[in-house]
Amino acid sequence: MIWLIATAQLLLGENCGDECHEAYQDDDYAEESQVQLLQRSVQVLPKQTAPELTSDAIASAPQHAPGRHALNMSLDAGPSDVRTLYHMTTGAAGASILKSEFRSGHDGWCGGGIYFAVSPYDCWHKATAKSQSSDVFMIEAVVDLGKSKPMPYYCTSNPVCTMYTVAYCGIDKESRADAMQKEGYDSMTFNPGDGQEFVIFQGSRVRSMKRIPWPPPPPAYTPYYPYAYYR
């Protein structure tokens, strides 16, 4: 009886041998195919030169544009923190940005840089009355912040400055890009008291951008509930 069981096990093992061997071969082939796919090189698109801004650029400005980051992926070597942020400017400046890229400003809470807020409404209430009364160009941008350094409410400006006294005490007029780079940071973030802001120093960190309507269009339908509904 024992001899019959051993013989049956041996026969089953021999029958499975070819099938198992073929299965192992299939697994080896699949693994080799995956390795070949992973070894394929990624082509990087060359940089493009943006056209110059003309007098009719505002009317003919594109409503969506890829950022330089989409054309030059060298920034991917470092840490990545990709967020959708917002920037408000004038019509002429907005048209120029969409035709080329963001450029660093000369002053601000954190010195010269490119400032973004977390929503269009934050951009609006952070702006001065003069900016709100002029032609508004609201940009939604996908930004790679890289490694961001948290800063105090006054960032690199005078510590006595607040959002109410900044017009009198003065703000930082120097670029902090080199100092942040030496510390290993790609951007800064701070909250002066009216909402979080993010500051980058390179326009190439913007992956894509587009103009969005401002003020936002009213809702297509507003439901009406009679007074009796709430009684």
Side-chain angles (χ1 to χ4, degrees), residues 18-72:
D18 295 337
E19 296 178 0
C20 293
H21 182 65
E22 292 178 359
Y24 293 150
Q25 287 182 335
D26 293 341
D27 292 341
D28 292 341
Y29 176 76
E31 183 177 356
E32 182 180 355
S33 300
Q34 293 176 359
V35 172
Q36 291 177 355
L37 288 174
L38 292 174
Q39 289 178 342
R40 292 181 180 177
S41 59
V42 179
Q43 294 182 353
V44 180
L45 296 176
K47 290 186 177 180
Q48 299 178 359
T49 303
E52 295 182 359
L53 182 64
T54 63
S55 58
D56 299 329
I58 299 177
S60 61
Q63 302 303 301
H64 182 275
R68 291 299 179 97
H69 188 291
L71 305 177
N72 181 8

Side-chain angles (χ1 to χ4, degrees), residues 26 36 60 71-72 105 134 153 169 175 191 194 215 231:
D26 293 341
Q36 291 177 355
S60 61
L71 305 177
N72 181 8
S134 63
Y153 69 90
C169 66
S175 174
N191 186 341
D194 57 354
R231 298 181 63 183

Side-chain angles (χ1 to χ4, degrees), residues 125-147:
H125 74 70
K126 285 174 178 288
T128 62
K130 180 180 179 181
S131 300
Q132 292 176 347
S133 62
S134 63
D135 56 330
V136 174
F137 198 102
M138 190 73 70
I139 298 177
E140 179 183 88
V142 178
V143 185
D144 185 355
L145 297 172
K147 185 179 180 181

Side-chain angles (χ1 to χ4, degrees), residues 41-110:
S41 59
V42 179
Q43 294 182 353
V44 180
L45 296 176
K47 290 186 177 180
Q48 299 178 359
T49 303
E52 295 182 359
L53 182 64
T54 63
S55 58
D56 299 329
I58 299 177
S60 61
Q63 302 303 301
H64 182 275
R68 291 299 179 97
H69 188 291
L71 305 177
N72 181 8
M73 303 301 291
S74 61
L75 294 177
D76 287 346
S80 180
D81 180 10
V82 181
R83 305 193 186 199
T84 299
L85 302 172
Y86 299 87
H87 180 93
M88 192 180 88
T89 184
T90 62
S96 176
I97 290 171
L98 290 189
K99 284 182 174 293
S100 54
E101 65 176 352
F102 280 95
R103 292 181 174 84
S104 181
H106 302 291
D107 55 24
W109 281 102
C110 302

Side-chain angles (χ1 to χ4, degrees), residues 146-189:
K147 185 179 180 181
S148 190
K149 181 178 182 179
M151 302 294 292
Y153 69 90
Y154 55 87
C155 200
T156 56
S157 294
N158 192 330
V160 302
C161 283
T162 67
M163 56 180 292
Y164 304 105
T165 62
V166 66
Y168 319 112
C169 66
I171 54 178
D172 191 354
K173 297 182 180 297
E174 298 183 16
S175 174
R176 305 296 176 176
D178 293 339
M180 289 296 105
Q181 186 177 12
K182 290 179 181 179
E183 294 182 27
Y185 293 101
D186 306 300
S187 61
M188 292 188 285
T189 179

